[in-house]
Amino acid sequence: MLILGIETSCDETAASVVKDGKLILSNIVLSQTPAHKVFYGVVPEVASRAHTFWLLPIVKLALQNAEVSPNQISAIAVTQGPGLIGALLVGLTAAKTLATVLDIPLITVDHIHAHIYSAFISTDTQLPAVALIVSGGHTALFRVNSYTNIELLGRTTDDAAGEAFDKVARMLNLPYPGGPSIQESAQNGKPNAVRFPRSLLDSESLDFSFSGIKTAVLYHLYGQDKKGKTAPLKETVSDIAASFQEAIVDILVEKCKRALGQTGYKTLIVAGGVAANKRLRERLQTEAEKHKFSLSLPPLSLCTDNAAMVAGLAFHLIKNGKTASLDVDAYSEEFSLGE
Ligand code: KG4
Ligand code: ZN
């Protein structure tokens, strides 16, 4: 079964053709980063307009690269939420139109669920598993019982880890998106130069909190009154980047280990934009060898937003009879997955 997937939840315009939930025939991702970079973050209105401009050419390219014609497609899959509502509506409306014109089923997919599924496209991931989804908008841990049966274990009580990377990069005058630029700067820094707080590690809770570390970095840079310190900073930008990155990685790794301990599961999936972080990947690999669990890290192209994960997951949803009606609406909030 060939499924065309569409993803427009944030600032990537993406389309992909996937066969039987596993074989990627094409995976086109247009990053809008150049359009948002000047604002140091994603501007929703700019994102919606860019999706409107680019989506149909990207869909066409995905079909061309897959060497399939529209009438060979069995279903259209699209991200329904969570995400930026205007951006989601562009993808959803295009998907409804294509499904109507081609007279094939529409399947709506949860963005976080699709991130979890990215581990099953690329690697031979065993179930049951614990999944950490860590991106610019989300940080949450799940118990994954099957492709479609997922339970929430814990989530951030404030910001997402990726958001903290983006905001701290801004404080350090590093370019947007913050994750890759902090990672690069951190390569020349000392991870133990400053001890930033590791929030919520003193309880058994699997929830996260990342707002405190942003404030801690801000106070460290500018002092409590934000007017600037009288004495110049002892550390370099790279030292602060490395120390911040280390604190985030410590929190993520520790919570994953606790989730594995609490569930007794032996497989860990880590996906979402921040899962592209080299230091996080290294540390997880070391822990996996030490504690004998199996680690599933999708390749970088499937960690950040893409439509292959949408088309892949849709194959299992359609097999379970989960098609959508044409009056389905987009949702912006992360409210229902696994609860
Ligand atoms: O999954 P994604 O593409 O979009 C969302 O659903 O949010 O994730 C984007 C986030 C951004 O916050 C970006 O800074 C972060 O992922 N990111 C990284 C890295 N690459 C992207 N964070 C840390 N290290 C990276 N190498
Ligand atoms: Zn995402």
Short mmCIF file of all heavy atoms in Angstrom, two decimals, residues 111 115 135 305, ligand 2:
data_model
loop_
_atom_site.label_atom_id
_atom_site.label_comp_id
_atom_site.label_asym_id
_atom_site.label_seq_id
_atom_site.Cartn_x
_atom_site.Cartn_y
_atom_site.Cartn_z
N HIS A 111 1.24 14.38 15.65
CA HIS A 111 2.65 14.66 15.34
C HIS A 111 3.61 13.92 16.27
O HIS A 111 4.65 13.40 15.83
CB HIS A 111 2.86 16.18 15.44
CG HIS A 111 4.24 16.63 15.10
ND1 HIS A 111 4.74 16.59 13.82
CD2 HIS A 111 5.24 17.11 15.88
CE1 HIS A 111 5.98 17.04 13.83
NE2 HIS A 111 6.31 17.36 15.07
N HIS A 115 6.42 11.04 15.49
CA HIS A 115 7.84 11.05 15.90
C HIS A 115 8.22 9.70 16.51
O HIS A 115 9.29 9.17 16.26
CB HIS A 115 8.10 12.16 16.92
CG HIS A 115 8.51 13.47 16.30
ND1 HIS A 115 9.58 13.60 15.45
CD2 HIS A 115 7.99 14.72 16.44
CE1 HIS A 115 9.71 14.87 15.09
NE2 HIS A 115 8.75 15.57 15.66
N SER A 135 11.66 17.69 21.34
CA SER A 135 11.78 18.58 20.18
C SER A 135 11.60 20.03 20.62
O SER A 135 11.69 20.35 21.80
CB SER A 135 10.73 18.18 19.15
OG SER A 135 9.45 18.54 19.62
N ASP A 305 11.45 17.17 11.87
CA ASP A 305 10.14 17.00 11.24
C ASP A 305 10.24 16.50 9.79
O ASP A 305 11.05 17.00 9.02
CB ASP A 305 9.37 18.32 11.30
CG ASP A 305 8.91 18.61 12.72
OD1 ASP A 305 9.02 17.71 13.58
OD2 ASP A 305 8.43 19.73 12.96
ZN ZN B 2 8.41 17.58 15.54
#
